[in-house]
Amino acid sequence: MDWYETVFELIDMRSFSNLWFWIALAVLWSSTSHWVLGVPWDMVLRARKKDAPDQSVTDLHDMVRINTNRILYIVHESGLLIAGFVCFVLTVLALTGFIYGREISQALFLMGFPMSLVGLASFLSARKIRMQALEGALLYKQMNRHRIVTQIIGMISIFVTAMWGMLQNMSVGVLGG
C-alpha cells in the first residue's frame, strides 16, 4: 500500500461511513450550543447567579452588546449578499447531493442547512435584544431561549443526519455486497 492510498483511505469521501464526519458534526453542534450569540454559556451562568460579582454581570452585558452590534452590523451591511450566497451554496449542495448522489454534498448540506437556521435565529435574537434593550433577567431569559432553540435545531439535525447516514450506509452495503 502506498502513501496516496493511505491518505485517501484516511480522508474517505464517503462521509457517512467516515468517523471524521461524525466527530466534526459533534464538535459543530457542541460548540454552537456552547457559544450563544458569540458569548460562552458559562459566562451567562456565572452572571445569572444571585451572588454573582458585579464584574461578571458587566462583562456579560458588554459581551452581548458587542456581539449583538456585530451581528446586526454584518446583516445591515451585507445581509442580502450573504443570504444570496448561502442560498446558492445550499442549493448547489442539495442538487449535487440529493439529485446527483454525491455523498460529500449531502453531508455538507446536512451540516450547513441547520447552521443557516441557527444564523437566522441569532439575527432574530440579536435584533430583539437591541430593540427591547434587554438587560438582567430578561437578557438571561432571551439567551436561554436562544440556546434552547439552537439545541432543538441541533437535535433534529443530528437525528436526520444519523438516519440519512444509516440509510446511505445500508444501501451502499446492499448494493456493494
Side-chain angles (χ1 to χ4, degrees):
M1 184 185 304
D2 66 341
W3 187 78
Y4 290 114
E5 287 180 35
T6 307
V7 169
F8 283 116
E9 186 176 310
L10 181 66
I11 307 171
D12 186 12
M13 292 309 251
R14 285 196 47 249
S15 302
F16 299 113
S17 63
N18 192 334
L19 179 62
W20 293 109
F21 169 74
W22 297 106
I23 291 171
L25 186 70
V27 168
L28 173 75
W29 285 110
S30 175
S31 60
T32 301
S33 176
H34 178 71
W35 292 87
V36 180
L37 294 176
V39 179
W41 184 246
D42 61 291
M43 193 175 202
V44 177
L45 293 178
R46 206 171 323 127
R48 234 172 40 176
K49 290 181 181 175
K50 297 289 184 210
D51 58 342
D54 290 339
Q55 187 61 44
S56 65
V57 173
T58 303
D59 290 347
L60 174 71
H61 282 83
D62 289 344
M63 193 118 165
V64 169
R65 179 184 48 79
I66 290 167
N67 286 319
T68 297
N69 289 340
R70 189 178 131 263
I71 290 168
L72 294 175
Y73 175 77
I74 290 169
V75 169
H76 176 68
E77 290 298 315
S78 56
L80 190 59
L81 185 63
I82 291 171
F85 181 72
V86 167
C87 288
F88 170 75
V89 169
L90 289 175
T91 301
V92 167
L93 289 173
L95 287 174
T96 58
F98 299 105
I99 302 298
Y100 295 110
R102 305 304 303 170
E103 200 170 296
I104 187 76
S105 295
Q106 294 171 3
L108 291 173
F109 179 83
L110 290 170
M111 291 172 83
F113 178 71
M115 287 306 295
S116 67
L117 296 178
V118 170
L120 178 63
S122 295
F123 164 68
L124 294 174
S125 288
R127 188 177 67 174
K128 182 176 182 179
I129 289 169
R130 161 93 63 82
M131 299 284 279
Q132 297 179 6
L134 299 180
E135 290 185 354
L138 292 175
L139 176 63
Y140 309 148
K141 186 176 181 180
Q142 179 60 35
M143 297 288 282
N144 189 48
R145 194 175 297 134
H146 179 75
R147 184 169 193 245
I148 289 171
V149 166
T150 299
Q151 289 176 332
I152 290 170
I153 293 170
M155 286 187 301
I156 293 169
S157 170
I158 290 169
F159 178 76
V160 168
T161 303
M163 292 297 114
W164 184 258
M166 283 191 286
L167 178 67
Q168 292 299 101
N169 287 336
M170 288 189 304
S171 66
V172 166
V174 170
L175 296 175

